[in-house]
């Protein structure tokens, strides 16, 4: 069974998508349509902007989404997923890939999501940190002991967990975790505390938009960040997507469940190879690859 996985924020790179635009008439049409929907030339920034330009919130999330989704569409008959999953933002790409969401609807939601998250980041000084070499349960227990808001946010692979919350609380948790034997506990260069209770204003704002969008029956199951198990009910998919902003990304558990349900290969669709590395950390013998035209 073929599993297709879609990366999230942080996978962007300067020049992303330019080869698709040049090689495929279908890709060119979709990129041009995206410029119209967003109201600015995202292709200009993607194809020739600097890494700094790509870091703009209104650009980063739509850019990664567009690269992933347009690549999946130009693969044509070669693209036959038996199951899909996306890391955080990548879940929107996965939902277009399995026909739950239309391209235009998903792009609008991704754009709204980026702006809502940016607004939430500006309310409270907040950050995230990567913790390496500790059991998940110990990291969770330490976070629970710290004064202020700090929670486990991204379960990326065994031994790699990202925590998220108020700056002071995250810094204190990092010191405590190093004392408990973490190989590393380092702050990440992000704008705020994604996948934590501090994203509640963004969740509320996005919930109305998600609930007003048409979700169709998917062509194959999606393993969502919130539930980690195969989901095919559009109502449940919609509900999980609303909670995704404040809930942790349970990537390790999702990959484990995909393997348990029969995945024999994982293909990463979009920029970078981060997800392939995380899959290998779950099972180093698993076949992984990057989608390409």
């Amino acid at each position: 069974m073929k599993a297709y996985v879609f990366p999230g924020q942080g996978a962007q790179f300067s020049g992303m998508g330019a080869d698709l635009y040049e090689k495929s008439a279908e890709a060119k049409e979709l990129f041009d349509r995206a410029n119209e929907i967003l109201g600015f030339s995202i292709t200009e920034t993607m194809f020739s902007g600097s890494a700094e330009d790509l870091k703009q919130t209104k650009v980063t999330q739509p850019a990664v989404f567009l690269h992933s989704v347009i690549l999946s569409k130009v693969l044509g008959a070669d693209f036959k997923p038996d199951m899909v999953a996306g890391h955080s933002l990548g879940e929107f790409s996965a939902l277009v890939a399995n026909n739950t969401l239309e391209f235009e609807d998903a792009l609008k939601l991704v754009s709204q999501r980026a702006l809502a998250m940016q607004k939430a980041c500006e309310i409270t000084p907040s950050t995230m940190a990567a913790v390496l070499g500790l059991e998940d349960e110990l990291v969770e227990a330490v976070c629970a002991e710290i004064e202020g808001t700090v929670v486990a946010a991204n379960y990326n692979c065994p031994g790699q967990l990202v925590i998220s919350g108020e700056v002071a609380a995250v810094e204190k948790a990092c010191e405590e975790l190093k004392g408990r034997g973490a190989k590393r506990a380092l702050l990440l260069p992000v704008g705020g505390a994604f996948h934590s209770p501090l994203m509640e204003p963004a969740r509320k704002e996005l919930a109305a938009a998600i609930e007003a969008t048409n979700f169709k029956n998917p062509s194959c199951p999606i393993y969502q960040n919130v539930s980690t198990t195969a989901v095919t009910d559009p109502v449940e998919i919609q509900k999980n997507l609303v909670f995704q902003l404040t809930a942790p990304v349970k990537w390790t558990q999702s990959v484990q469940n995909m393997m348990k349900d029969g995945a024999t290969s994982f293909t990463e669709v979009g920029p970078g190879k981060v997800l392939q590395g995380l899959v290998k950390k779950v099972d180093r013998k698993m076949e992984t690859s990057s989608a390409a035209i």
Side-chain angles (χ1 to χ4, degrees), residues 231-251:
V231 187
T232 54
D233 174 26
V235 175
E236 192 182 341
I237 289 171
Q238 203 168 17
K239 187 177 68 181
N240 287 339
L241 204 58
V242 170
F243 286 112
Q244 193 222 55
L245 275 180
T246 51
V249 174
K250 295 181 178 176
W251 188 253

Side-chain angles (χ1 to χ4, degrees), residues 158-171:
Q160 187 190 125
L161 207 162
V162 174
I163 60 174
S164 181
E166 294 164 338
V167 172
V170 172
E171 287 173 345

Side-chain angles (χ1 to χ4, degrees), residues 44 66 84 100 107 136 138 166-167 177 203 210 229 262 264:
E44 196 177 316
L66 287 170
V84 295
T100 304
L107 178 56
D136 292 349
L138 179 54
E166 294 164 338
V167 172
L177 289 162
R203 188 194 69 78
I210 288 173
T229 52
T264 52

Side-chain angles (χ1 to χ4, degrees), residues 60-234:
T60 313
Q61 294 192 26
V64 174
F65 166 84
L66 287 170
H67 190 285
S68 295
V69 168
I70 292 173
L71 176 54
S72 73
K73 288 190 177 293
V74 299
L75 290 171
D78 292 339
F79 185 71
K80 290 178 184 167
D82 296 303
M83 51 179 78
V84 295
H87 192 287
S88 188
L89 160 72
E91 199 160 275
F92 288 84
S93 310
L95 288 170
V96 177
N98 76 351
N99 300 305
T100 304
L101 286 173
E102 292 289 343
F103 171 78
E104 292 88 347
D105 289 340
L107 178 56
K108 285 173 188 170
L109 287 177
V110 165
S111 180
Q112 287 171 287
R113 179 184 191 264
L115 297 173
M117 287 170 76
Q118 179 60 37
K119 271 194 258 176
C121 290
E122 288 161 6
I123 295 169
T124 308
S126 56
T127 191
M128 301 176 84
V131 181
L132 308 182
L134 288 180
E135 295 292 319
D136 292 349
E137 293 75 16
L138 179 54
V139 178
E140 291 164 350
V142 168
C143 287
E145 294 167 8
I146 303 292
E147 193 177 326
T149 300
V150 57
V151 296
N154 293 356
Y155 294 78
N156 284 334
C157 65
Q160 187 190 125
L161 207 162
V162 174
I163 60 174
S164 181
E166 294 164 338
V167 172
V170 172
E171 287 173 345
K172 177 78 177 124
C174 285
E175 288 309 308
E176 187 65 32
L177 289 162
K178 283 176 194 166
R180 302 279 188 103
K183 286 180 187 169
R184 293 179 84 181
L186 66 160
L187 295 179
L188 297 173
V190 295
F194 306 139
H195 301 288
S196 82
L198 298 178
M199 284 293 116
E200 181 60 21
R203 188 194 69 78
K204 280 183 178 167
E205 192 173 322
L206 199 62
I210 288 173
E211 282 155 13
T213 302
N214 181 34
F215 282 63
K216 298 182 293 186
N217 287 312
S219 53
C220 70
I222 180 166
Y223 289 68
Q224 288 184 278
N225 296 172
V226 170
S227 66
T228 79
T229 52
V231 187
T232 54
D233 174 26

Side-chain angles (χ1 to χ4, degrees), residues 38-50:
L38 294 171
F40 67 95
S41 180
I42 192 166
T43 52
E44 196 177 316
T45 310
M46 288 174 70
F47 303 165
S48 54
S50 66

